Amino acid sequence: MLGALISVGGSKRVGIFIWNPGKREDLDLLQRLLDAGRIKPLIDRGYGLSQVPEALRYVEEGRARGKVVITVELWVGASRKTAAASPVV
């Protein structure tokens, strides 16, 4: 799954990932690395559900440098909950 990690500018590292989403062991490894804080997703921007056209334009123009996340607010009973949908990118 993972290629070699290379050091960039001291403590920062860049990873080259080769991922087969159908392999369970790849997902398990990815989850362990996320849980341990060894890798972190790069979130470029977040948009509300009503801003999807703007988010898509941003991605299509090639301006995104990380994941673009669409946030969906759910109303459950009398309380409001926020859930992030799958990243657009």
Side-chain angles (χ1 to χ4, degrees):
M1 171 180 163
L2 298 177
L5 290 175
I6 56 175
S7 180
V8 177
S11 65
K12 293 192 179 210
R13 293 181 177 207
V14 174
I16 300 170
F17 291 91
I18 301 170
W19 179 40
N20 177 351
K23 292 182 71 177
R24 179 66 188 183
E25 57 268 17
D26 284 356
L27 291 174
D28 291 340
L29 175 58
L30 187 58
Q31 185 65 56
R32 287 193 307 274
L33 291 170
L34 285 165
D35 290 345
R38 301 282 309 270
I39 58 173
K40 296 179 183 174
L42 175 61
I43 306 296
D44 183 306
R45 289 196 178 181
Y47 292 89
L49 187 58
S50 64
Q51 299 172 301
V52 167
E54 183 181 339
L56 290 173
R57 265 193 307 279
Y58 183 75
V59 170
E60 289 170 354
E61 290 170 356
R63 296 168 50 199
R65 296 294 174 246
K67 298 297 181 186
V68 173
V69 177
I70 305 300
T71 302
V72 179
E73 292 186 341
L74 308 171
W75 289 89
V76 179
S79 64
R80 184 171 100 188
K81 296 183 179 185
T82 300
S86 297
V88 173
V89 177

